[in-house]
Amino acid sequence: MKHPVASVLLTWLAAALCHAEVQVTPPPALPWSGASEALIAAEDDPWITPAEQASFATTPSYSDTRRYLERLVEESPLLTLEPFGTSAEGRELYYVRARPRKAEAPRPVVLIQAGIHAHEIDGKDAGLMLLRDIALRGKEALVATVDFVFVPIYNVDGHERRATLNGPHLRGPGLRGMRDTAQAINLNRDYAKADAPETRAMLKLIRALDPVLYIDVHVSDGFDHAYDVTYTYAGWGHHVLSPTISEWLTGPFETQVNAHLRSQGHNPHFYPAALDGRDLTKGLRVSAEGPRWSTGYGDHRRMPTVLVEMHHLKPYRQRVLGAYHLMEGALRAASDQLPALQTAIATDRAARPKQLPVGWERDTEPFKTIPFEGVAYETFESPASGRSERRFLGRTESWTMPVTGQHPTMQLTLPRAWWVPASEQEALELLALHGIEFERIKAPRTLDLDTVRFSELGFDPVKDTRVRMTGTAVHVLERVTLPKGSARVPFDQDLGLLAAGLLEPEAIDSLFAWGFFPEMTQPHGDLDALESAPLADAMLAADPELRSAFEAKLSEDKAFAADPRARLAWFVARSPYADRRYRRYPIYREVQ
């Protein structure tokens, strides 16, 4: 007779082995061949990259990538390799800089990063090939007027958590990294709050380099289509805070990059985000972006930023070659159009808009329709989901896609400045990390300031390592005494819009929204029932309006009516003994 525990274990093992054989199967790949295939090094080439050597079946590890780049840097005087931070698990973050032998510093910088999501690693292998060709294969002209700074692996800890089942929607390579960091942080949701050491290192690098162009290379998910290189900017060139930069990106930059990609056999398009993933006939969507994302951060910072999404259902070989030519095209565009690009940046940094949109709603009608190369699909009934699902068939067809945007539902009139009390050290450290200017006062100061209290507070689901907060803000002008060491953050600075995105509590990625002030959520009073009950009874007897409000609350909220502590707390909150920090946003607005 089998032991019952052993029997259970054998049954579980048999089921696990059976399930291990079931894997995600991608739809048929579209046929492709292009001029960019000529880039691939011969098998006996001493400078063949690890991905090329493996026929793009795999991507190299952190250490193998580093070894290849160190060897390349040692060979070429055009390249240097420099550290810029350390990951949570102690791995060094580094970049490679390509610049002419006798170039004088400082020079404009094009900063390109790969592997912010470590399973989306096309940019790393494309960058190794491009650096080789700049250093050794006659493409030095790409850095004639700009420095090329390349971060091959941003999420280094996630990169080393490699497994074949990571990113199952991707058609290669084998042994992919993970989306998030070792601390379970999504780095492309971390720009505003900067919780990860990797993010803090990247923000310092951005401040040091002040790039004229910042490119963040990803790989998409979602529906199948004919485009192998897609990319986007904040708001898809519409809902933007840096309009002159946006005009350059959607105009001269896009025209030149797309022409270069097409000349090499690739099919570029703006990144197509479906309005409804279950019904593609509804078309594409355009959305405003907060500074949590690379593109939204660039928009707030007035830094031209491009998010690249290589298409996940294209073979890895094709994707790497496409990423190579997008990066090459971007370097050419920045070099060829440098004066216009720098003028666009300066124009937006000099602007001081009066308002900041902080609430958005989807439009009911599209603002345009576009021709689109889709991939045919059929539907089938899934026993598992219990509904109709899609299956793509590996052949293209022509679609017409409506594109729907958003409109602002709330706009804030921006203040002259914000005041951050000396006690809010985490907020002040974050502002300094972003490079936002502020000045500390050397003695206490009393001012009439716009204060914000929340009539109600709530919580959104956890994102990364933070609980997001929600609430209804009520603005009141009050006299406030600020202690020595408090900071005045002026709006009139190049990073004024970034300051607004972090400090205006109603903004989508404000410090309030990211839960930086949990002390707001509970009162810190000293009264217990021995004092508060007589106080509440006296208040009831003295104030008929208060009595009416209390009786209405009892009638409307049965849980409240049955909770003696909540009833007494209701009175204390309306008494002179109330905790003035409760539901009070600790940062003030200078509006006069």
Side-chain angles (χ1 to χ4, degrees), residues 373-445:
E373 292 183 73
V375 169
Y377 61 90
E378 63 184 8
T379 59
F380 66 95
E381 295 302 316
S382 167
S385 72
R387 67 183 183 184
S388 179
E389 303 290 352
R390 289 194 315 271
R391 180 188 293 122
F392 289 95
L393 302 176
R395 65 175 187 271
T396 61
E397 58 184 25
S398 297
W399 299 347
T400 298
M401 296 288 262
V403 183
T404 304
Q406 293 179 305
H407 58 273
T409 57
M410 180 179 181
Q411 298 203 59
L412 298 176
T413 299
L414 292 169
R416 292 175 59 191
W418 298 268
W419 284 88
V420 183
S423 58
E424 299 300 334
Q425 289 299 310
E426 186 179 23
L428 290 169
E429 290 170 3
L430 185 63
L431 294 176
L433 175 66
H434 285 290
I436 294 169
E437 297 174 3
F438 56 84
E439 183 178 359
R440 290 181 182 265
I441 55 176
K442 298 179 180 179
R445 189 177 300 180

Side-chain angles (χ1 to χ4, degrees), residues 38-253:
L39 294 170
I40 300 172
E43 291 182 6
D44 60 351
D45 190 322
W47 292 104
I48 189 171
T49 67
E52 291 172 305
Q53 196 165 38
S55 299
F56 299 96
T58 61
T59 187
S61 66
Y62 171 90
S63 57
D64 288 344
T65 302
R66 176 85 180 232
R67 276 193 293 270
Y68 180 86
L69 288 170
E70 287 174 342
R71 192 165 65 93
L72 188 62
V73 168
E74 186 176 355
E75 180 73 13
S76 171
L78 275 67
L79 305 183
T80 57
L81 188 151
E82 302 176 44
F84 69 96
T86 305
S87 73
E89 291 187 330
R91 293 182 177 89
E92 187 173 79
L93 299 167
Y94 65 91
Y95 64 84
V96 177
R97 184 192 294 259
R99 65 199 317 266
R101 296 169 177 81
K102 298 181 180 180
E104 296 182 2
R107 297 195 334 145
V109 170
V110 174
L111 172 59
I112 302 180
Q113 69 189 28
I116 189 171
H117 295 152
H119 60 308
E120 301 170 4
I121 204 62
D122 307 23
K124 176 192 72 178
D125 289 317
L128 265 60
M129 294 172 64
L130 182 57
L131 286 170
R132 173 197 64 202
D133 293 349
I134 290 172
L136 305 175
R137 302 289 163 83
K139 291 194 174 183
E140 184 176 345
L142 290 174
V143 293
T145 56
V146 297
D147 284 8
F148 171 31
V149 173
F150 180 61
V151 177
I153 312 170
Y154 182 11
N155 176 12
V156 291
D157 293 344
H159 185 275
E160 293 309 281
R161 285 166 158 73
R162 301 194 299 165
T164 56
L165 297 183
N166 288 341
H169 61 293
L170 300 171
R171 183 174 261 120
L175 289 177
R176 298 176 289 269
M178 293 183 67
R179 179 185 183 89
D180 296 341
T181 70
Q183 296 174 304
I185 295 174
N186 183 338
L187 293 177
N188 201 32
R189 306 294 184 273
D190 198 42
Y191 280 85
K193 58 188 176 67
D195 283 332
E198 296 89 344
T199 306
R200 293 191 288 273
M202 181 58 70
L203 294 180
K204 291 176 183 177
L205 182 62
I206 287 171
R207 283 178 56 202
L209 299 176
D210 192 18
V212 295
L213 185 60
Y214 180 39
I215 297 180
D216 180 18
V217 185
H218 292 244
V219 183
S220 73
D221 51 18
F223 67 97
D224 201 1
H225 53 70
Y227 305 101
D228 61 346
V229 182
T230 69
Y231 58 98
T232 188
Y233 330 108
W236 217 31
H238 289 265
H239 316 302
V240 294
L241 302 176
S242 300
T244 316
I245 290 171
S246 180
E247 288 174 7
W248 183 84
L249 288 170
T250 58
F253 173 82

